[in-house]
Amino acid sequence: MIRWLPARPWLGAQRVHIRPSRAGLAFAALLLALWIAAVNYRLGLGYALTYFAAACAIADMLFASRNLAGLALAATPGKPVFAGGQATFTLRLINRSARPRHAIRLAMHGSPAAPSLADIAAHGETAVGIVVAARQRGWLDAPSVRLSGSFPLGLFIAWCHWQPDARVLVYPQPEHDAPPLPWPAGMEQPAKQTPQQPRSSGGALELAGVRAYRPGDPLHRLAWRQIARHDGEHLFSKQFQPAADAQTGAARGGILLDHAALHALAPEARLSRLAAWVLQAERTGLPYGLRLGALILTPALGASQRDACLRALALHDLPPSKESP
């Protein structure tokens, strides 16, 4: 990331730089040779050819700059990832003018990967995804991007830098082969569930609705009434969720993962183990909470609870400038 490079939601003409390409330098040498020949031999057609070729080069310089100028830029962060994985950013190039844009190259700063090519229709937009290695937990800023193009003749290269205003949250890498969950004394560990069994926090389930049949759904969960309404053309399965009273009871019987209890481990190793335990508890169906210094998350289940715990682990003890979203 280039720290001094500001975010540029719109590319004005003053922000687009231009320089001759290698083909442009060779073309300039050819123009010089044509002009010398026309002067030495006093060829009127030689003068005309030289001036026409120079006019084409000037027009190419103008169109190469206009191919980039006026673009609107936007960036969308991807989903949170774990450290050691790949973070994805989606860059949107928006063309609000009536002329299409062609062969725009996008290259990440400091990346050896080949640049991406994008064409943008008139009054349209193009999305380009870039992938960045997530090496450590916390916020990962989108890398700076170089936009360039040599359309139409390739004699000049127009280019500019853009710092996308987007970032992805990187969770701690879960510990491999983490020990079992620290079950409270007197609590019986639930049996391992099969993928077809609905997860229950306290045993009581209530019907939440029906959905399209998925391969592997048990036959006793088929919604025969809805199937009959569609004359058997489509299959539906009943979908269950824990009852409200079961969720209340589960919250009282959950476990609380305590960061201070892992004082024997290194700071990052503690977070990795807690991340692994959060994922284990979510898969097991046991309500879980988290005590992380002064922060306490009460036991619960679900994607929102999992994301809240992993987010707290990702931002633990980071400088304030890196914690704010």
Side-chain angles (χ1 to χ4, degrees):
M1 177 182 178
I2 301 178
R3 297 295 179 184
W4 53 264
L5 190 62
R8 294 175 176 177
W10 183 78
L11 291 179
Q14 71 277 9
R15 292 178 174 174
V16 177
H17 310 280
I18 193 166
R19 63 175 176 83
S21 62
R22 292 183 179 179
L25 294 176
F27 189 77
L30 177 62
L31 285 180
L32 180 61
L34 287 176
W35 182 78
I36 292 175
V39 170
N40 288 340
Y41 296 99
R42 298 180 181 179
L43 297 176
L45 291 178
Y47 284 113
L49 179 61
T50 303
Y51 296 151
F52 176 76
C56 290
I58 295 174
D60 179 63
M61 180 175 60
L62 173 63
F63 281 103
S65 177
R66 283 164 57 90
N67 195 42
L68 282 182
L71 281 179
L73 308 174
T76 303
K79 297 181 179 179
V81 297
F82 291 96
Q86 302 287 332
T88 302
F89 297 89
T90 301
L91 308 182
R92 296 169 52 221
L93 309 181
I94 305 169
N95 181 17
R96 297 194 175 102
S97 66
R99 64 180 186 277
R101 314 300 179 97
H102 301 282
I104 297 177
R105 297 183 181 88
L106 288 89
M108 289 187 296
H109 177 74
S111 174
S116 303
L117 283 177
D119 292 325
I120 314 172
H123 301 291
E125 67 176 73
T126 298
V128 179
I130 59 174
V131 179
V132 183
R135 296 185 176 86
Q136 59 184 7
R137 65 181 178 91
W139 289 109
L140 175 63
D141 294 312
S144 59
V145 177
R146 184 178 188 267
L147 289 83
S148 63
S150 57
F151 179 83
L153 299 181
L155 302 180
F156 292 88
I157 298 177
W159 57 275
C160 68
H161 284 292
W162 172 38
Q163 177 59 61
D165 187 15
R167 53 184 179 174
V168 164
L169 184 60
V170 181
Y171 297 145
Q173 184 177 24
E175 180 183 4
H176 296 290
D177 300 327
L181 288 169
W183 298 90
M187 178 178 289
E188 181 181 358
Q189 299 186 16
K192 187 176 181 180
Q193 298 173 335
T194 61
Q196 290 80 11
Q197 292 176 334
R199 184 173 61 188
S200 172
S201 300
L205 296 175
E206 62 182 12
L207 181 64
V210 296
R211 57 170 171 79
Y213 173 81
R214 299 174 183 171
D217 287 348
L219 295 179
H220 67 270
R221 294 181 63 189
L222 291 177
W224 297 107
R225 183 177 299 178
Q226 282 72 18
I227 294 174
R229 289 179 181 176
H230 292 78
D231 297 329
E233 296 182 359
H234 303 282
L235 297 180
F236 298 90
S237 295
K238 297 178 182 178
Q239 188 174 11
F240 295 90
Q241 68 180 9
D245 55 347
Q247 293 182 356
T248 304
R252 293 194 298 266
I255 61 173
L256 189 64
L257 305 175
D258 193 353
H259 177 266
L262 302 175
H263 55 83
L265 299 177
E268 293 299 323
R270 294 191 203 180
L271 301 178
S272 295
R273 179 166 297 182
L274 289 174
W277 280 350
V278 166
L279 299 179
Q280 285 185 30
E282 184 66 29
R283 288 193 301 265
T284 306
L286 176 71
Y288 57 93
L290 180 66
R291 179 183 288 122
L292 198 60
L295 175 65
I296 298 179
L297 299 176
T298 57
L301 270 176
S304 59
Q305 175 72 358
R306 178 199 61 205
D307 294 343
C309 291
L310 292 176
R311 179 187 176 92
L313 293 173
L315 301 179
H316 179 65
D317 279 348
L318 289 183
S321 59
K322 296 184 180 182
E323 289 185 1
S324 57

